[in-house]
Amino acid sequence: SQQGEEDPQALSIQEGENATMNCSYKTSINNLQWYRQNSGRGLVHLILIRSNEREKHSGRLRVTLDTSKKSSSLLITASRAADTASYFCATEDQGGSEKLVFGKGTKLTVNP
Amino acid sequence: NAGVTQTPKFQVLKTGQSMTLQCAQDMNHNSMYWYRQDPGMGLRLIYYSASEGTTDKGEVPNGYNVSRLNKREFSLRLESAAPSQTSVYFCASSGSRLTGYEQYFGPGTRLTVT
């Protein structure tokens, strides 16, 4: 069953604006990861945040994690048309099963 | 360094036909995975293999079988295809706990069952 649930399901913004996507999950985790999927392509790993971290940055990406609320957010600053893609969160649970559980994704459209 | 490769890219089957989807990785990863992706459903795990010689069921294993042929290759077989198996199939691999099992994905196989 799906662990992560992204919100919103779809988001449309103008180039230069910031995009924020949220992910909620159900069980205790070791880490949470964000992936991007361009149309017709496989997923690409963006960033990983561990359960003992609260915030992480990578370029124009900022990820936060609130384990008390079982939620994470992905912020893309100064968005570009090339950021148009679907974004998925994935969680590794504390069971150490080597599996990730993916959410259903947020479809981001950045209009030029 | 090709990463994760999948063949074929596209396939059309008639109900009841069988086929094998091939996947290979050249990153010396221990773990490999097969997912299906349907509109509005995200990715669902079919089977995974934590190491050569081991396989385990995921969320939606019915109608599929897998073989971890060696460390590089992990194949997915549909013995008797059904229209409900129309989907995009992704293979992935991951390295170690140190990387949080960050997964690397292949380009996908688009399967249509008529």
Side-chain angles (χ1 to χ4, degrees), chain A:
Chain A
S1 60
Q2 241 86 28
Q3 158 86 302
E5 292 289 338
E6 290 90 343
D7 169 60
Q9 289 186 330
L11 179 60
S12 181
I13 60 174
Q14 296 300 121
E15 228 174 5
E17 294 180 340
N18 295 342
T20 299
M21 289 158 268
N22 302 296
C23 170
S24 59
Y25 58 92
K26 298 173 185 171
T27 64
S28 297
I29 60 172
N30 282 333
N31 67 69
L32 186 145
Q33 304 178 30
W34 284 92
Y35 288 77
R36 183 187 73 226
Q37 184 181 34
N38 290 91
S39 181
R41 311 291 288 271
L43 278 70
V44 174
H45 182 265
L46 292 176
I47 193 165
L48 177 152
I49 186 165
R50 300 189 186 278
S51 59
N52 61 352
E53 297 175 310
R54 291 297 165 259
E55 187 171 312
K56 203 160 182 182
H57 297 255
S58 176
R60 292 184 296 113
L61 304 180
R62 173 179 168 250
V63 170
T64 62
L65 179 65
D66 186 336
T67 53
S68 67
K69 295 181 179 177
K70 292 187 167 59
S71 68
S72 173
S73 67
L74 171 67
L75 168 68
I76 304 174
T77 60
S79 62
R80 305 165 181 168
D83 294 327
T84 294
S86 291
Y87 292 82
F88 296 85
C89 67
T91 52
E92 182 206 346
D93 66 36
Q94 287 188 339
S97 66
E98 302 181 39
K99 293 184 292 184
L100 296 180
V101 181
F102 287 82
K104 295 181 182 180
T106 291
K107 187 168 185 179
L108 172 66
T109 302
V110 182
N111 302 298

Side-chain angles (χ1 to χ4, degrees), chain A residues 36-44 88 102, chain B residues 4-9 21-24 32-38 42-48 66 74 76 87-93 103-111:
Chain A
R36 183 187 73 226
Q37 184 181 34
N38 290 91
S39 181
R41 311 291 288 271
L43 278 70
V44 174
F88 296 85
F102 287 82
Chain B
V4 179
T5 57
Q6 290 183 237
T7 56
K9 285 189 168 54
L21 282 64
Q22 307 285 355
C23 173
M32 296 185 74
Y33 312 82
W34 276 106
Y35 295 93
R36 59 178 289 173
Q37 185 177 34
D38 302 295
L43 283 169
R44 292 185 291 171
L45 182 65
I46 305 171
Y47 271 93
Y48 74 104
V66 290
F74 189 37
L76 178 72
S87 189
V88 181
Y89 291 85
F90 289 99
C91 177
S93 69
Q103 293 188 10
Y104 294 79
F105 283 79
T109 294
R110 281 145 187 81
L111 175 66

